[in-house]
Amino acid sequence: MDKIVIEGGVPLKGEVKISGSKNSALPILAATLLAEGTCRIKNLPLLKDIETMLKILEFLGAKIKIRKKAVEINTESVKNIPAPYDLVRLMRGSVCILGPLLARFRKAIVSLPGGCIIGPRPIDLHLKGLEKLGAEIEIDKGYIKAKAKKLKGRRIFLGGTFGSSVLATANLMMAAALAEGETLIEFAAGEPEIVDLANFLNKMGAKVKGAGSHLLRIKGVKKLRGVSYRIIPDRVEAGTYLIAGLITRGKVSIKGAISGHLGAIIDKTEEAGAKVEIKKNSLYVENSQWPLKSVNLITLPYPGFPTDMQAQFMVLMCLSEGTSVITERVFPRRFMHIGELNRMGADIVVEENSAIVRGGRKFVGTRVMASDLRASAALVLASLAAEGKTEISRVYHLDRGYEGLVEKLTGLGAKIKRTN
Ligand code: EPU
């Protein structure tokens, strides 16, 4: 199995280009199931999760051509067959084919996505929403079996114990796009990825209003057409390079980042004392104020601080002066990175859904193991700032979400290599 080896302590310098957003691309690829004609999706990040979604579509019968960073998909020959466990279990994001399949065939069989290292990930909101639209759903031998004579627009309150749900909103938006009449989704997720999906659907001919707010109004249409669409840049990748620049005391230009999508991250780094320059199409970060000071944060649905940046920000807090309390309100058990960060020299304890991070520490290189995508990103960051060499194993987690990580960091001057 591959490993990443990093010799820490090199200030990163230069420019890094941000790839297309993984979490936008996944539901957008699923939404091509709704189109008559070919869709061309541009700025597609070439990642393991994207490959999995394309494999699922191909398994169902879609015709797919990948050309550089774009993919052409024609789903007209897709058949209504079960989406199998062997593919669906590879990532939770595959559950977002349920809505489009149901809208298109009035029947869908999709394997339950299974467990997840970042804590329980129920799909009750997905099912509740689709049932409200008229679907009958049963869970049978690990498969979700959904059918509907017709889907009919309704008013649906989609809030759950932890607030809004990104993929439940996506699933429902896609199903409602072809439903009869008007659907109102209250407590919808307002993440930029949801806005991206709504823009894609609207370009295809859908009538979705209110994306970005907590109230979505969707007027069902009879059919949707294939279109060409460009995916937004990945805000989590941009945030990760921002932290990389800060913790190595470097000077990094993050090209293609949309600052408006990174409000909470920029705000927290500035509160810690860093200066982030916002330019037209990029962010520039230079750490002249070292050490930074500790700040508290709570992860929340957008526009709050994203859970997908919690682990990376924690690395910054380990190196800052003072004590920081980081509370996880989206996935209360998403703290797998802490054990390995402590082994590298951090001082973090977990109390319920909060991590208490005593700052002013330094990282020392050692052998560590990645446990999930963002936890792995945190280990890479800690290694970049560490004294000596760190060997990170199980790096396939990083392949799921960071396109060209080794190449991009090498381009910034990091001493990093991938070995077998
Ligand atoms: N939840 C429910 N019931 C549901 C669905 C969700 O209670 O039916 C709860 C979850 O357990 C969680 C909260 O609601 O506590 C929010 O989860 P959400 O449904 O929004 O997560 P998701 O849509 O499954 C997406 C991203 C995640 C990201 C979360 C939160 C994709 C493919 N995944 O997941 O991304 O952490 O939103 O922003 O879009 C990652 O990229 O590393 C990643 C995990």
Side-chain angles (χ1 to χ4, degrees), residues 63-135:
K63 304 228 159 41
I64 294 174
K65 278 189 209 143
I66 297 183
R67 297 180 198 279
K68 291 196 180 157
K69 296 190 78 54
V71 63
E72 277 174 16
I73 307 182
N74 188 306
T75 59
E76 279 167 11
S77 50
V78 160
K79 285 187 228 36
N80 192 13
I81 50 174
Y85 175 68
D86 280 342
L87 286 172
V88 172
R89 75 179 168 84
L90 297 176
M91 63 165 185
R92 299 273 317 176
S94 46
V95 73
C96 63
I97 59 171
L98 184 61
L101 281 178
L102 187 63
R104 177 158 163 188
F105 297 110
R106 303 290 182 256
K107 200 174 155 205
I109 303 180
V110 177
S111 164
L112 277 168
C116 180
I117 186 94
I118 66 177
R121 296 192 59 186
I123 56 160
D124 56 308
L125 296 173
H126 301 243
L127 304 187
K128 170 183 159 183
L130 295 173
E131 276 173 343
K132 290 259 176 183
L133 286 183

Side-chain angles (χ1 to χ4, degrees), residues 22-24 26-27 49 91-96 116 118-127 160-168 189 191 193 235-236 300-302 306-308 329-332 334 372-374 400:
K22 164 179 87 79
N23 289 349
S24 266
L26 289 172
D49 277 8
M91 63 165 185
R92 299 273 317 176
S94 46
V95 73
C96 63
C116 180
I118 66 177
R121 296 192 59 186
I123 56 160
D124 56 308
L125 296 173
H126 301 243
L127 304 187
T161 319
F162 298 98
S164 53
S165 160
V166 178
L167 289 179
E191 269 68 5
E193 294 77 18
R235 62 191 168 110
V236 181
L300 289 169
Y302 189 83
T307 172
D308 291 343
R329 286 263 178 86
V330 181
F331 293 113
R334 195 177 198 175
D372 86 293
L373 171 56
R374 308 304 171 189
R400 295 185 49 201

Side-chain angles (χ1 to χ4, degrees), residues 43-229:
N43 201 27
L44 189 76
L46 300 175
L47 298 165
K48 202 79 203 154
D49 277 8
I50 300 298
E51 201 182 289
T52 302
M53 182 54 94
L54 292 174
K55 275 190 187 155
I56 293 175
L57 295 177
E58 208 158 37
F59 178 90
L60 297 174
K63 304 228 159 41
I64 294 174
K65 278 189 209 143
I66 297 183
R67 297 180 198 279
K68 291 196 180 157
K69 296 190 78 54
V71 63
E72 277 174 16
I73 307 182
N74 188 306
T75 59
E76 279 167 11
S77 50
V78 160
K79 285 187 228 36
N80 192 13
I81 50 174
Y85 175 68
D86 280 342
L87 286 172
V88 172
R89 75 179 168 84
L90 297 176
M91 63 165 185
R92 299 273 317 176
S94 46
V95 73
C96 63
I97 59 171
L98 184 61
L101 281 178
L102 187 63
R104 177 158 163 188
F105 297 110
R106 303 290 182 256
K107 200 174 155 205
I109 303 180
V110 177
S111 164
L112 277 168
C116 180
I117 186 94
I118 66 177
R121 296 192 59 186
I123 56 160
D124 56 308
L125 296 173
H126 301 243
L127 304 187
K128 170 183 159 183
L130 295 173
E131 276 173 343
K132 290 259 176 183
L133 286 183
E136 280 174 38
I137 299 181
E138 60 164 331
I139 305 290
D140 184 27
K141 300 190 186 84
Y143 277 79
I144 310 161
K145 294 186 172 167
K147 61 177 183 194
K149 283 206 182 72
K150 65 175 177 189
L151 295 177
K152 206 162 173 331
R154 287 275 303 271
R155 187 181 198 103
I156 301 163
F157 183 86
L158 205 61
T161 319
F162 298 98
S164 53
S165 160
V166 178
L167 289 179
T169 304
N171 244 332
L172 213 53
M173 194 200 294
M174 291 187 275
L178 287 182
E180 196 184 291
E182 186 173 85
T183 303
L184 276 180
I185 309 180
E186 295 172 340
F187 215 151
E191 269 68 5
E193 294 77 18
I194 290 293
V195 178
D196 213 22
L197 173 64
N199 289 341
F200 176 58
L201 290 170
N202 284 341
K203 200 167 179 195
M204 289 163 91
K207 295 205 164 111
V208 181
K209 281 196 179 147
S213 78
H214 288 307
L215 182 66
L216 285 178
R217 192 180 288 271
I218 304 156
K219 263 197 194 135
V221 296
K222 290 236 155 47
K223 57 183 181 182
L224 297 171
R225 60 180 176 272
V227 293
S228 179
Y229 190 79

